[in-house]
Amino acid sequence: MTGIDADGLRARYRAERDKRLRADGSEQYIEPVGQFAHYLDDPYVVPTPREPLFDEVTVAFIGGGFAGLVTGARLKQAGIESVRIIEKGGDFGGTWYWNRYPGAQCDTAAFVYLPLLEETGHMPSEKYTHAPEILDHCRRIADHFDLYENACLSTEVTGLDWDDDTKRWIIRTNRGDEMRAQFVAMGTGPLHRPKLPGIPGIESYEGHSFHTSRWDYEYTGGNPAGAPLDQLGDKRVGIIGTGATAVQCIPHLAPACAELFVFQRTPSSIDVRNNHPIDPDWFETLEPGWQAEWLMNFTTLQTGGFTDEDLVMDGWTDISKRIRDKVLSSGGEFTRETFIKAYEDSDDEKMTEIRARVDALVTDRQTAEALKPWYRQLCKRPCFHDEYLDAYNEPGTHLVDTDGKGVERIDATGVWANGEHFELDCLIYASGFEVGTDYARRAGFDAVGRDGEHLSQHWADGMQSLHGIHVHGFPNLFVVGFTQGANLISNVPHNLTEAGRTIAMIVDHALDVGAAEVEVTEAAEQAWVERLEAGAVARMTNSPDCTPGYYNNEGQSTGRRGTLNSMGYPEGPVAYFQYIDAWRNSGEFEGLDFR
Ligand code: NDP
């Protein structure tokens, strides 16, 4: 693409970033506690009363999202029957239990995003499946591996303590339970606790309001399957936020509301979605083992590697292939410098296309200008949608662009922005989730290990682990996530499925050899952290071309703690998956002490 003024773009990006930088950084958000606690209520299930439990299981898993489901599945496959998943929501699903807002769908292709498709025999109906199908798939996994049998749903863990005398974890919950488990794994999710914008006066609003992760269909009408929101025809509705969630639900709100006011601080980048139904005849042609092959194919291409073909063919692999091919066409030497140059050039092209797409789809010129993103595509979560931009052509839909400043204040009847008052019947917070806050604050409990050490103390200066799974001082405890492991952000379930396999093999081995405890040695933990830290490179999102957001701690430095809490295997996700496969298959479990 010719005619791009790279220097001009850079200057514009920096000016836009500067407009949005705030001294309060992540502190600008407020926790849903006290008078805001009701924003967390479960709108879907009324908890069934039950007697408290004082029993014992072999493995307890905290969290019933993908992490719990895939780990539970791998444990069952390994023949470990006594598995209990403890979940705050009224069913399995995690993110997909809570997020039922209209239009919710996966952003990564279902063939790689949905775990255990071959094991459960499910064919995704679309390339990017919608939320109800994903929630059904979660339930399918739970059914298939008998995970409902022993589960504690609508149950929040409030305490987790290691009892060194009996070599058991004691788990306390808000249901009065005091259960014991030989092993505990935690998959409490990186983005599960809704946050609210700390806008002055937020507590004074008297109209109806809710957070997108607790969508109130009783108020709006409609349902998660896409039925029209038929109770909004006489309502003035406001939505704060234009991130990945808002991008998916605004196309459903726009035709339904009498008036819709979208309060925008920073526009998202909206690339083409190109969703399509899956052809069952084609699905039949896939050979056994296809999902593992697709996963590695996606991961390889998404992280700049080479394969004979692109099986997934989506926006994620497209970004990386562009960068890789630019390096090749400019001489082919892969150094940090050639990579950055190729990244910047291909990003300039991509973002120019994305801004041109806004012009092509949005009729009103002023609205189109305000919807153009001025930053690099990977500074914020890239969005892909084929109806979002058109939603602004609906006569009742108004973009209230705040030029990076955000909503000024909220009062009893509505919202103030740009010095203007917008009276509203309903205010929807599409304001996202806590990221990077203390894990115990997000999880709602703090594990207490051997010698009474709290996990939050052990991690006070940043996460310390082997493989992101094992923590010294916390025997028989496993953490399931992606940090300090593969760190594959574009397809989180892939990280979880591999971690689940690793944990199942370790538990199986511990039971086989009759070990009461398995724990990472201090030396192995330290060596792993040192190795990852030595290979950690400055994150692209920290560049001055990046607008603030949760990807870069709202533009503020996080120091070493931030590096430890976000780093992954230096050689990348593909190398990590190969490494961990060899590590666990060797049967040595190097770095772990079985005793
Ligand atoms: P985000 O954190 O991405 O977005 C929050 C929004 O609220 C931003 O647009 C933010 O503006 C805005 N905001 C905050 N404070 C104010 C204020 N005072 N005035 C005006 N606007 C304000 O949350 P989302 O729920 O959209 O997405 C969170 C993450 O969840 C995604 O990044 C993605 O990882 C995941 N997700 C995944 C999906 C999928 O895979 N299908 C779908 C949806 C979400 P600003 O940008 O200026 O900070």
Side-chain angles (χ1 to χ4, degrees), residues 20 22 28-29 96 101 105-108 113 191 195 197 199 212 240-246 248 263-266 380-381 402 405-407 430-433 548-551 554:
R20 289 171 173 80
R22 300 169 49 130
Q28 66 182 278
Y29 290 99
W96 299 101
Y101 58 82
Q105 70 183 125
C106 58
D107 260 345
T108 303
Y113 183 77
L191 272 119
K195 65 184 185 199
I199 298 167
T212 47
I240 295 183
T242 48
T245 297
Q248 293 185 335
F263 298 98
Q264 172 178 275
R265 191 164 66 179
T266 311
K380 278 180 119 54
R381 170 76 181 211
T402 62
K405 292 188 275 296
V407 165
S431 46
F433 303 86
Y550 82 81
Y551 270 30
E554 302 296 332

Side-chain angles (χ1 to χ4, degrees), residues 70-121:
V70 297
T71 307
R74 296 298 185 216
L75 288 163
K76 290 289 181 97
Q77 282 177 321
I80 298 152
E81 282 305 319
S82 174
V83 177
R84 167 171 296 155
I85 298 187
I86 306 167
E87 164 57 44
K88 182 167 57 176
D91 203 342
F92 287 100
T95 292
W96 299 101
Y97 174 82
W98 298 109
N99 286 282
R100 302 186 192 193
Y101 58 82
Q105 70 183 125
C106 58
D107 260 345
T108 303
F111 278 62
V112 290
Y113 183 77
L114 294 184
L116 309 179
L117 286 173
E118 284 196 81
E119 288 82 345
T120 55

Side-chain angles (χ1 to χ4, degrees), residues 52 88 114 123 203 277 336 389 481 503 518 536 538 594:
K88 182 167 57 176
L114 294 184
M123 180 194 85
E203 70 293 341
R336 179 106 181 121
L389 293 167
I503 292 164
V518 50
F594 291 82

Side-chain angles (χ1 to χ4, degrees), residues 239-260:
I239 180 163
I240 295 183
T242 48
T245 297
V247 165
Q248 293 185 335
C249 66
I250 283 171
H252 294 258
L253 286 167
C257 302
E259 305 274 339
L260 174 67

Side-chain angles (χ1 to χ4, degrees), residues 15 36 59 71 79 116 153-154 165 167 180-181 206 218 223 266 284 303 311 345 397 417 445 472 477 562:
F36 303 111
V59 187
T71 307
L116 309 179
L153 301 172
S154 300
D165 295 334
K167 310 291 181 207
R180 289 170 171 266
E206 289 174 4
E218 258 184 51
N223 61 35
T266 311
E284 281 298 306
T303 55
L311 294 169
D345 288 351
T397 299
F445 64 90
H472 181 66
L477 182 73

Side-chain angles (χ1 to χ4, degrees), residues 49-72:
R50 64 165 173 80
E51 291 301 312
L53 292 165
F54 298 93
D55 58 351
E56 179 169 319
V57 292
T58 305
V59 187
F61 196 102
I62 305 174
F66 279 153
L69 288 164
V70 297
T71 307

